[in-house]
Amino acid sequence: MKRVIVGLSGGVDSSVAAYLLKAQGYEVIGLFMKNWHDDSVTISDECPWLEDSNDAMLVADKLGIPFQTVDLSVQYKERIVDYMFNEYEKGRTPNPDVLCNREIKFDVFMDIALELGADYVATGHYCRKGTIEKDGKQIHQLLAGADDNKDQSYFLCQLSQQQLAKALFPIGELQKPEVRAIAKAQGLITAEKKDSQGLCFIGKVRLPEFLQQQLKPKEGHIVEVADTFEMYSQVLPQFDSKENELEFLSKKPIYHLTDGTVVGKHQGAHYFTKGQRKGLGVGGTVEPLFVIDTDVKENIIYTGQGKQHPGLYRNVLFVTNEELHWVREDLALKDGETMSVMARIRYRQNLEKATLYKVNSGMYVEFENKQSAITEGQFVAWYLEDELLGSGVIS
Ligand SMILES: Nc1ncnc2c1ncn2[C@@H]1O[C@H](COP(=O)(O)OP(=O)(O)OP(=O)(O)O)[C@@H](O)[C@H]1O
């Protein structure tokens, strides 16, 4: 009998994942991980981890499976929390959920599971795994979940073939209402529990409060840039190669204090992210202000009025070789090669038509349509139909 360790979070999805595996005849063990140490960064009294671990235990009890808790707070602090602060400090916007899967759930947690004799690690993610044969080798595919509204393949975009080989996603073929119905029919106490917010570690705490614990406030200007501001010189230069054109288009414009009007003050440019609307505290404009860029060195936030402000839009982005990852290693582009794909630059964004251009120093992603708020530090992930092929950090 194959042994599976399920990451039981105390939510409905992993509860049902555990139930399904047991029904399929696996030997199932539930494992809850504690990510927070009470004296590391505080995340308010509202943090529900105790309640969650209790729910996970009750689910395991109901299903009649063994249950354990592991404390991964040290690794979590090193690999996720510190990285978060570092990235924000540099003016980039990290994605802790993607990282948590690569570094914790499918690494530290997976190693513990394998030591406990598991053949597989299962989670309650809405995605599917496919396996194909190519040149006599087994290749694992990361496929979108069947529920379009819930697909979480994006969060797993940094997984490797080795990690996928040991992963199972038991609820990937189901729709969320079906998952809830199963939980209800089985009398699992998580059946009606609200979905978690996505930010796997922040719990109920708000991001600005979290960041303020380590990043010191520093007053600076908020500048409004007019939508007539020339982002690029009016006449595009003549490009002698596609690569030069892509390089030019992938560069964000560099704004200066004098490129707009000072309209307010902020408490630290590193608390803000591109595309952000809330928290600027500047009223009286015809349309709301959006952050179009942050300059953490000069501590200035550049904003523009309205969602359509040209400063928010670009259609080319770049990923360095160091931050380029192929789930499908066998399809990795070589220098000079291109590929037509569908891509997204954030979770829940619709897939958009794009072309990948591999060059010596990294890879360009050129979208057919301009994208709003392409943000440094976030992940771009590319797909062919419902298969996620690879991903990279936007640089
Ligand atoms: N504290 C935890 N301990 C063990 N596994 C976890 C924990 N948090 C998340 N997981 C695993 O990762 C999966 C995805 O986590 P996420 O935080 O996105 O929750 P979710 O999609 O709301 O799922 P759920 O309803 O199971 O909480 C979970 O289904 C679970 O298998």
Side-chain angles (χ1 to χ4, degrees):
M1 197 193 265
K2 294 273 186 198
R3 178 179 284 184
V4 185
I5 293 209
V6 183
L8 269 189
S9 65
V12 63
D13 299 328
S14 49
S15 308
V16 171
Y19 163 74
L20 291 172
L21 289 167
K22 192 168 181 224
Q24 286 161 19
Y26 288 101
E27 180 198 347
V28 183
I29 299 171
L31 195 57
F32 177 88
M33 58 174 175
K34 184 186 169 202
N35 292 336
W36 287 97
H37 207 275
D38 299 328
D39 57 8
S40 61
V41 186
T42 49
I43 46 169
S44 96
D45 302 336
E46 285 177 86
C47 180
W49 83 264
L50 249 179
E51 187 189 318
D52 286 343
S53 73
N54 200 45
D55 288 349
M57 189 179 69
L58 292 173
V59 166
D61 191 48
K62 181 86 185 171
L63 295 176
I65 60 171
F67 175 76
Q68 273 191 37
T69 298
V70 277
D71 186 342
L72 301 185
S73 52
V74 172
Q75 294 92 328
Y76 201 82
K77 160 108 182 26
E78 279 169 15
R79 296 206 196 181
I80 313 294
V81 179
D82 292 350
Y83 166 86
M84 285 280 287
F85 284 124
N86 271 331
E87 287 283 283
Y88 272 102
E89 205 159 21
K90 283 192 241 158
R92 307 215 310 178
T93 307
N95 186 319
D97 294 296
V98 172
L99 220 69
C100 178
N101 284 314
R102 185 185 78 191
E103 298 288 326
I104 303 292
K105 290 178 193 162
F106 293 93
D107 192 280
V108 182
F109 185 89
M110 186 172 253
D111 284 348
I112 291 170
L114 297 179
E115 271 168 33
L116 291 171
D119 297 289
Y120 296 104
V121 166
T123 59
H125 282 109
Y126 286 85
C127 66
R128 294 168 299 140
K129 189 176 120 178
T131 304
I132 52 171
E133 285 264 323
K134 195 171 161 186
D135 305 329
K137 255 179 66 183
Q138 267 209 338
I139 292 178
H140 303 288
Q141 299 173 296
L142 176 59
L143 306 169
D147 186 335
D148 286 341
N149 279 320
K150 280 279 158 192
D151 169 32
Q152 290 176 313
S153 54
Y154 178 82
F155 288 139
L156 301 168
C157 67
Q158 287 274 299
L159 293 196
S160 66
Q161 283 291 313
Q162 291 73 12
Q163 290 169 314
L164 267 181
K166 297 276 173 203
L168 291 180
F169 307 114
I171 63 162
E173 301 284 352
L174 300 176
Q175 307 286 318
K176 181 84 189 199
E178 295 178 294
V179 170
R180 286 212 183 272
I182 293 172
K184 209 167 167 192
Q186 296 306 318
L188 304 179
I189 53 143
T190 50
E192 312 279 341
K193 203 165 162 180
K194 245 180 78 190
D195 286 353
S196 59
Q197 283 303 303
L199 278 182
C200 77
F201 81 101
I202 289 187
K204 289 183 180 169
V205 83
R206 294 211 315 275
L207 190 61
E209 287 163 27
F210 173 76
L211 291 175
Q212 276 161 23
Q213 294 180 39
Q214 296 237 329
L215 304 179
K216 290 210 177 68
K218 192 170 142 198
E219 195 170 90
H221 293 304
I222 300 178
V223 173
E224 184 188 339
V225 179
D227 61 4
T228 49
F229 182 83
E230 300 302 332
M231 283 213 311
Y232 304 111
S233 51
Q234 273 242 297
V235 188
L236 281 187
Q238 282 285 318
F239 300 109
D240 50 17
S241 71
K242 181 71 184 174
E243 186 172 343
N244 286 349
E245 180 186 345
L246 291 167
E247 187 193 359
F248 180 86
L249 294 173
S250 70
K251 292 243 163 77
K252 62 179 188 185
I254 297 178
Y255 296 105
H256 302 96
L257 192 60
T258 47
D259 292 336
T261 322
V262 173
V263 290
K265 288 203 160 69
H266 62 79
Q267 292 308 314
H270 43 245
Y271 300 142
F272 290 82
T273 187
K274 207 176 275 185
Q276 182 171 340
R277 186 184 130 178
K278 293 202 173 120
L280 285 164
V282 179
T285 52
V286 178
E287 287 196 75
L289 289 181
F290 288 82
V291 175
I292 58 175
D293 201 11
T294 60
D295 181 342
V296 288
K297 244 171 116 192
E298 299 296 326
N299 199 28
I300 301 171
I301 297 176
Y302 294 96
T303 64
Q305 270 194 49
K307 258 198 181 104
Q308 299 307 323
H309 193 284
L312 280 171
Y313 290 86
R314 264 191 298 151
N315 69 331
V316 182
L317 63 85
F318 183 68
V319 177
T320 64
N321 281 328
E322 294 70 46
E323 296 186 310
L324 178 58
H325 172 74
W326 288 88
V327 177
R328 284 292 301 271
E329 291 155 10
D330 58 310
L331 298 181
L333 295 181
K334 298 189 181 63
D335 293 356
E337 291 182 342
T338 69
M339 187 191 274
S340 293
V341 294
M342 300 297 282
R344 57 166 57 104
I345 51 168
R346 57 180 67 89
Y347 176 55
R348 283 193 170 282
Q349 184 200 18
N350 286 335
L351 286 170
E352 299 273 335
K353 268 194 184 167
T355 308
L356 311 178
Y357 293 88
K358 180 72 187 75
V359 297
N360 190 253
S361 55
M363 196 176 81
Y364 290 100
V365 181
E366 182 183 42
F367 286 93
E368 192 173 284
N369 297 311
K370 287 199 168 184
Q371 303 296 310
S372 174
I374 294 180
T375 306
E376 296 81 6
Q378 293 273 294
F379 288 91
V380 54
W382 48 93
Y383 295 71
L384 273 185
E385 296 184 356
D386 59 355
E387 181 179 3
L388 192 155
L389 302 185
S391 64
V393 182
I394 299 169
S395 78

